[in-house]
Amino acid sequence: MTFEDLGLSPDLLGAISEAGYTEPTPIQAQAIPHLLMGRDILGIAQTGTGKTAGFTLPMIEILAAGRARARMPRSLILEPTRELATQVAENFAVYGKNHKLSMALLIGGVSFVEQNEKLDRGVDVLIATPGRLIDQFERGRILLADIKILVVDEADRMLDMGFIPDVEKIMKLLPPLRQTAMFSATMPSEIKRLTDSYMMNPRKVEVAPAASAAETVIQRLIRVRGGIAEKRKALRDLIKSENVRNAIVFCNRKRDVKVVDQSLRRHGFNAQALHGDLPQSVRTATLEKFRAGEISILVASDVAARGLDIDDMSHVFNFDVPMHADDYIHRIGRTGRAGREGHALTLATSADDKYVQQIERLIGTKIGEVSTAEISDEVVAAEPDASPLEEKKTPRKRSSSRRKPAQKTETKTDAAPDAKPVAAAESQVKKPGTKETQPQKDQRRPQQKESKELGMGDHVPAFLQR
Ligand code: AMP
């Protein structure tokens, strides 16, 4: 299957090939023909499957004919977070480079003046978060009567964030004769109700969800006795003892994102926080610095990090065990991409047992455990007083802290033969997919037994293999 086979125009094909894509991903191959025919679709797919191009490409094609009137956008894309909205806008700019479509972003944290000027000129594509859109609508700044295409992206995340009433309110404001595409990684009953009420006989297109992490992700569980202070110490020890290049540290609460970030920085680590309370400009700048390697550790909440297209991360640390097992898969999927080795380390106290069990049920295997004592020993054995990701206040002479995990085993074994080395613990970890334990009750994910990464189906784009 090629993009030509999907019936896209030469202008669009040119932009796609400049983006470096050689073939459509499974979700694109399924969704694009339906959308080009004007049908409603329900896409069961999550970030990483190429779903954004799956709806932006046909939208560009459909909107190419026609012109927008002042304050009456012709299409609307709803996103749960500002970051996702911004990413979709970036996608539009790439794929729409040979078209003259206008686009506006309606998200919190961006000045009203700038947004209003754009809306007044007329936009073909409006990308918005639900709250800001309703706000602008209620101020009379925007009319929704000309919307021909609606996309609701990450619907299950909208649900988690309490946005469904807003989404429903918006759907009621739109003309009934329109095309609707909804994307969701899962189908909770509330989303099903929305699709039944506001979509016209939608075609269901589906790619297997990533019920297992990539085999290249080495997962470990670190049992911590105590509370948040002990967890912070364990996190520092882990960062020091691991061969960390760059990492995301996930916390369940915004409050803890701030605390952990400050604590890491106080201890000299090159960290920054990413959470929903930060001004948009700060969030964007932080992400850019992280992508550029100027920041090594991003401390983030699930919501802030959801869908961020940051590849090639060496480590994911779960400062907290996520309360939803799905989030665990999302989090650890940030590392071990495109065949590279990645590490996912989860700190757990006894209060987390229930959540750990849920995760292990979902991934179908037990996560190998390491104790904090082993890590502390490891830090001492490796390098007593320096952290690999320290901000460079004083020049570092040694590079030996960036040891390979295999070397680490030897060091540790030499230093303290009676203690179990971290790397040895790793070898006992059954990676997801190579499980012996079968998932118990959770049958939602039919592809669970597959041992490969399922996010893009069998498709691994050529550019990812480079
Ligand atoms: P998404 O799931 O839309 O967030 O896309 C995930 C990543 O896949 C993004 O970095 C896209 O640029 C990339 N991508 C989308 N479509 C293709 C394709 N057909 N071939 C290769 N990469 C793609």
Side-chain angles (χ1 to χ4, degrees):
M1 168 78 71
T2 64
F3 280 107
E4 283 84 353
D5 298 336
L6 297 176
L8 299 169
S9 66
D11 278 348
L12 212 40
L13 291 173
I16 293 167
S17 109
E18 279 183 50
Y21 306 161
T22 48
E23 53 177 319
T25 65
I27 194 76
Q28 291 163 3
Q30 293 179 65
I32 291 174
H34 289 312
L35 287 173
L36 286 176
M37 277 189 264
R39 291 195 177 129
D40 283 4
I41 65 155
L42 175 60
I44 310 293
Q46 60 190 37
T47 314
T49 54
K51 70 179 160 63
T52 316
F55 61 82
T56 44
L57 293 173
M59 280 176 82
I60 293 169
E61 203 72 88
I62 295 166
L63 295 168
R67 190 163 290 276
R69 287 181 282 167
R71 290 194 281 145
M72 295 184 81
R74 298 164 64 209
S75 65
L76 172 64
I77 300 171
L78 293 176
E79 293 288 338
T81 65
R82 303 164 184 185
E83 280 78 11
L84 280 169
T86 311
Q87 263 175 218
V88 172
E90 285 166 5
N91 274 261
F92 252 102
V94 171
Y95 309 137
K97 61 184 292 201
N98 299 326
H99 291 79
K100 290 203 168 51
L101 297 176
S102 59
M103 171 183 73
L105 255 182
L106 211 56
I107 53 178
V110 174
S111 104
F112 274 114
V113 180
E114 201 183 307
Q115 292 178 346
N116 287 338
E117 275 171 10
K118 276 203 165 171
L119 290 170
D120 286 347
R121 285 200 296 271
V123 294
D124 298 296
V125 184
L126 182 63
I127 305 165
T129 47
R132 186 48 87 97
L133 179 72
I134 290 181
D135 196 22
Q136 288 288 65
F137 179 81
E138 286 174 353
R139 286 164 194 252
R141 300 295 325 177
I142 193 164
L143 299 165
L144 298 172
D146 211 18
I147 300 279
K148 308 274 189 308
I149 308 171
L150 167 72
V151 176
V152 182
D153 197 15
E154 305 260 341
D156 51 350
R157 183 53 47 154
M158 300 259 197
L159 181 66
D160 282 354
M161 294 170 71
F163 290 164
I164 292 299
D166 283 352
V167 172
E168 192 161 4
K169 192 168 172 183
I170 293 165
M171 286 172 128
K172 284 183 182 154
L173 294 169
L174 301 179
L177 268 186
R178 57 153 204 273
Q179 187 178 7
T180 305
M182 189 174 309
F183 289 87
S184 193
T186 55
M187 269 314 266
S189 57
E190 186 65 352
I191 306 288
K192 173 92 174 55
R193 187 187 61 78
L194 270 195
T195 61
D196 291 348
S197 314
Y198 299 97
M199 293 176 78
M200 294 253 290
N201 189 22
R203 300 292 155 128
K204 194 164 162 189
V205 296
E206 187 163 6
V207 291
S212 65
E215 284 213 17
T216 46
V217 181
I218 297 165
Q219 304 172 57
R220 279 168 287 166
L221 192 73
I222 293 84
R223 290 279 176 194
V224 183
R225 287 167 68 173
I228 185 161
E230 287 73 19
K231 287 211 300 188
R232 289 204 300 266
K233 160 97 172 64
L235 176 66
R236 291 197 297 275
D237 285 351
L238 274 177
I239 297 174
K240 286 180 192 168
S241 69
E242 287 284 311
N243 191 26
V244 176
R245 186 177 60 247
N246 53 357
I248 292 198
V249 176
F250 281 101
C251 301
N252 288 355
R253 285 166 293 266
K254 274 188 263 187
R255 193 182 59 216
D256 293 339
V257 168
K258 294 176 199 170
V259 172
V260 171
D261 166 52
Q262 280 164 9
S263 152
L264 283 175
R265 281 191 283 136
R266 226 180 11 252
H267 283 85
F269 291 93
N270 181 9
Q272 279 287 311
L274 191 75
H275 57 76
D277 287 349
L278 292 167
Q280 183 61 30
S281 54
V282 175
R283 285 155 71 171
T284 310
T286 302
L287 274 176
E288 271 166 20
K289 282 190 195 153
F290 188 68
R291 283 202 176 101
E294 290 165 37
I295 296 170
S296 316
I297 304 170
L298 205 58
V299 187
S301 59
D302 288 289
V303 168
R306 170 86 180 213
L308 294 182
D309 195 14
I310 306 170
D311 285 344
D312 198 18
M313 204 140 17
S314 73
H315 283 72
V316 166
F317 296 99
N318 290 317
F319 185 78
D320 299 303
V321 180
M323 286 186 249
H324 298 290
D326 285 353
D327 283 336
Y328 179 79
I329 303 281
H330 286 301
R331 289 180 182 187
I332 74 169
R334 312 252 136 225
T335 181
R337 291 199 172 189
R340 297 186 199 95
E341 185 178 271
H343 297 262
L345 297 111
T346 302
L347 301 178
T349 64
S350 54
D352 296 316
D353 283 352
K354 181 173 120 199
Y355 302 122
V356 171
Q357 280 163 17
Q358 279 170 8
I359 290 166
E360 291 180 337
R361 249 202 317 272
L362 179 63
I363 64 176
T365 187
K366 281 195 85 61
I367 308 171
E369 291 189 16
V370 187
S371 76
T372 41
E374 290 166 51
I375 299 157
S376 299
D377 289 352
E378 180 74 6
V379 174
V380 175
E383 192 171 29
D385 55 1
S387 85
L389 298 175
E390 273 178 343
E391 284 183 303
K392 293 180 183 59
K393 289 183 191 128
T394 47
R396 298 274 317 281
K397 287 191 211 107
R398 301 181 50 178
S399 60
S400 58
S401 63
R402 297 184 172 260
R403 293 157 303 136
K404 296 254 183 304
Q407 292 168 321
K408 192 163 57 184
T409 313
E410 286 161 26
T411 316
K412 176 65 189 151
T413 311
D414 290 342
D418 53 342
K420 189 171 67 171
V422 174
E426 271 171 25
S427 68
Q428 295 169 3
V429 177
K430 290 194 296 296
K431 291 169 192 165
T434 57
K435 56 189 171 284
E436 285 159 17
T437 331
Q438 287 302 317
Q440 291 167 10
K441 285 201 187 98
D442 194 337
Q443 297 300 325
R444 282 179 301 148
R445 298 174 181 275
Q447 304 287 340
Q448 204 157 309
K449 294 193 175 81
E450 294 283 315
S451 62
K452 60 197 169 204
E453 186 171 19
L454 295 168
M456 277 198 170
D458 286 337
H459 174 88
V460 179
F463 87 113
L464 284 179
Q465 296 173 344
R466 284 203 289 271

